[in-house]
């Protein structure tokens, strides 16, 4: 059975806004180079500095949100594209040097944190190390830039903080992926349950309908009154099957052992098979009663369809139910691959019950047994 694919759900408006704010709050640290640019006497320096910083801030926010979207949706961040975008971010910071002076190095903090968020661990460490060492080397080589050594600590602290943000985004993405997988499996399980129930309902009901219709056809000239009775029962069975299908689709359907035993009697008699059924049924918990009802339905359906038996026996105890016949017995395909038996085993597993299929110990025939472990309640 094909498992349906659950499409990722878009983030809510609240979380999208949170993502934008989380990126934009870092822009506060651009206030120093922005003040330097605004204080420039020459207009071209002022507007170059301000323009480059505005473009830098917008690019950083967009880059952060792009990466966060990839992480939350479980998509890998393209390494080459991330490297190109980080290089573009660095160039925007360099372009503003005429207007921001030595304060352009504040943009290295953003480049470093962006690398932590976008790149794998080893590459991110390389970028952080280069960003942190740049102000120290620049201060050593250019005495006029000696006052920018504080950027070294800013890069390290911001990168460490961004590592926590990146880890949080990664965990959120994994959590969303897990939730989507749970939803996918729940849909698949519901489809399997519906298919299993419809198979069991229609397989049993239509088998009995076919047998009774065949019997009515043989009796229509020999015994018209009995043929009319069989046809009336066919109508009742068809209506009951339709009601079962409707209840199954609506998820309100249940199976009761007493009803299945009564239905088994009618099906066996119509098929010309002697029915040896229990006169009284034990009081059982609801889930066990339902499981045993499914077992009787599946066992009797197999007897009527495949066995060629003359007699069918059903025994019900507090912890087990057994359906046997004196027919040709099961084949390996009957025991392993029958859809009805597969569904019965799935139901039995929920109660830690076992389903066994084989030949009777004495003589020929088929035996289906569903039993619970000793001491089960």
């Amino acid at each position: 059975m094909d498992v349906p694919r659950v499409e990722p759900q878009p983030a809510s408006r609240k979380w999208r806004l949170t993502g934008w704010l989380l990126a934009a709050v870092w822009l506060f640290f651009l206030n120093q180079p922005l003040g330097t640019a605004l204080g420039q006497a020459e207009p071209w320096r002022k507007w170059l500095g301000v323009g480059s910083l505005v473009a830098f801030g917008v690019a950083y926010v967009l880059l952060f949100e792009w990466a966060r979207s990839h992480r939350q949706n479980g998509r890998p961040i393209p390494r080459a594209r991330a490297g190109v975008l980080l290089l573009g971010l660095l160039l925007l910071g360099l372009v503003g040097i005429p207007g921001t002076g030595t304060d352009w190095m504040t943009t290295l903090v953003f480049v470093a944190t962006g690398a932590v968020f976008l790149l794998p661990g080893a590459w991110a460490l390389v970028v952080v190390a280069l960003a942190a060492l740049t102000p120290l080397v620049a201060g050593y080589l250019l005495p006029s830039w000696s006052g920018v050594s504080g950027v070294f600590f800013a890069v390290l602290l911001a990168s460490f903080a961004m590592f926590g943000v990146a880890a949080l985004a990664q965990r959120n993405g994994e959590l969303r992926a897990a939730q989507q997988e749970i939803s996918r499996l729940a849909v698949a399980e519901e489809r399997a349950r519906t298919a299993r129930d419809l198979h069991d309902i229609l397989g049993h009901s239509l088998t009995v309908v076919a047998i009774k219709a065949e019997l009515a056809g043989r009796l229509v000239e020999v015994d018209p009154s009995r043929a009319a009775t069989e046809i009336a029962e066919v109508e009742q069975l068809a209506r009951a099957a339709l009601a079962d299908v409707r209840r199954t689709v609506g998820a309100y359907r249940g199976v009761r052992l007493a009803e299945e035993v009564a239905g088994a009697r009618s099906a066996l008699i119509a098929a010309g098979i002697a029915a040896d059924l229990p006169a009284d049924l034990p009081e059982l918990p609801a889930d066990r009663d339902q499981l045993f009802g499914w077992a009787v339905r599946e066992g009797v359906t197999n007897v009527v369809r495949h066995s060629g038996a003359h007699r069918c026996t059903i025994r019900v105890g507090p912890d087990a139910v057994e359906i046997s016949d004196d027919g040709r017995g099961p084949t390996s395909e009957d025991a392993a691959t029958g859809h009805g038996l597969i569904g019965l085993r799935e139901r039995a597993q929920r109660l830690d019950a076992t389903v066994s299929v084989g030949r009777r110990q004495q003589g020929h025939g088929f035996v289906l047994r569903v039993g619970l472990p000793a001491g089960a309640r």
Side-chain angles (χ1 to χ4, degrees), residues 3-287:
V3 178
R5 180 176 182 269
V6 177
E7 296 293 337
Q9 297 298 316
S12 65
R13 181 179 178 183
K14 173 184 175 181
W15 286 111
R16 289 198 301 269
L17 180 61
T18 301
W20 287 102
L21 292 177
L22 189 62
V25 71
W26 294 88
L27 299 182
F28 170 79
F29 295 100
L30 291 177
N31 66 328
Q32 185 172 341
L34 181 62
T36 301
L38 291 173
Q40 294 289 344
E42 298 178 70
W44 75 270
R45 291 181 180 274
K46 176 189 296 185
W47 296 118
L48 178 62
V50 172
S52 65
L53 289 174
V54 171
F56 183 92
V58 172
Y60 179 79
V61 171
L62 293 175
L63 181 62
F64 184 91
E65 181 60 21
W66 172 76
R68 193 179 74 96
S69 175
H70 275 68
R71 287 181 178 273
Q72 286 193 338
N73 292 321
R75 301 193 304 268
I77 297 176
R79 186 183 305 178
R81 184 180 301 178
V84 171
L85 293 175
L86 285 173
L87 181 60
L89 202 63
L90 175 62
L91 291 177
L92 284 174
L94 292 172
V95 166
I97 289 179
T100 57
T102 59
D103 290 332
W104 80 270
M105 290 193 183
T106 304
T107 61
L108 293 175
V109 178
F110 295 85
V111 174
T113 56
V116 171
F117 201 70
L118 270 70
L119 299 178
W123 288 98
L125 287 176
V126 171
V127 175
V128 170
L130 292 175
L133 291 175
T134 296
L136 297 181
V137 174
Y140 178 78
L141 297 177
L142 301 173
S144 61
W145 286 16
S146 59
V148 297
S149 58
V151 176
F152 170 81
F153 298 100
V155 168
L156 294 182
L157 291 175
S159 299
F160 181 77
M162 182 56 73
F163 175 79
V165 173
L168 178 61
Q170 182 70 25
R171 296 298 178 270
N172 286 341
E174 293 172 355
L175 179 59
R176 291 188 65 189
Q179 291 172 338
Q180 291 165 10
E181 179 68 9
I182 291 171
S183 299
R184 185 184 70 87
L185 292 176
V187 172
E189 172 62 22
E190 182 62 18
R191 285 183 57 181
R193 182 197 67 81
T194 302
R196 181 181 63 227
D197 287 356
L198 287 175
H199 168 272
D200 293 344
I201 292 168
L202 297 179
H204 174 80
S205 300
L206 294 181
T207 296
V208 178
V209 166
I211 291 172
K212 284 186 170 290
E214 181 182 357
L215 177 60
R218 293 199 304 265
L219 295 174
V220 69
E221 294 181 358
V222 179
D223 190 348
S225 62
R226 186 179 173 189
T229 301
E230 295 295 333
I231 292 174
E233 291 184 3
V234 166
E235 180 183 359
Q236 293 176 358
L237 284 169
R239 292 183 183 277
L242 179 60
D244 279 346
V245 170
R246 287 172 174 169
R247 286 197 296 269
T248 299
V249 173
Y252 295 116
R253 179 177 168 274
V255 170
R256 298 185 61 185
L257 177 60
E259 294 176 356
E260 295 304 321
V261 171
R265 183 186 304 276
S266 175
L268 292 169
I269 292 174
I273 300 173
D276 182 4
L277 309 180
D280 297 310
L281 298 174
E283 292 289 335
L284 299 173
D287 52 359

Side-chain angles (χ1 to χ4, degrees), residues 192 195-197 199-200 203 294 298-299 301-302 305-306 330-347 355 357 366 368:
R196 181 181 63 227
D197 287 356
H199 168 272
D200 293 344
W294 280 115
E298 176 60 23
T301 300
N302 287 337
R305 278 182 175 177
H306 312 299
T331 65
S332 58
E333 183 179 356
D334 294 331
T337 61
H339 292 292
L341 290 176
I342 292 174
L344 183 60
R345 288 191 174 97
E346 291 175 354
R347 293 186 179 93
V355 177
V357 178
F366 175 98
L368 167 65

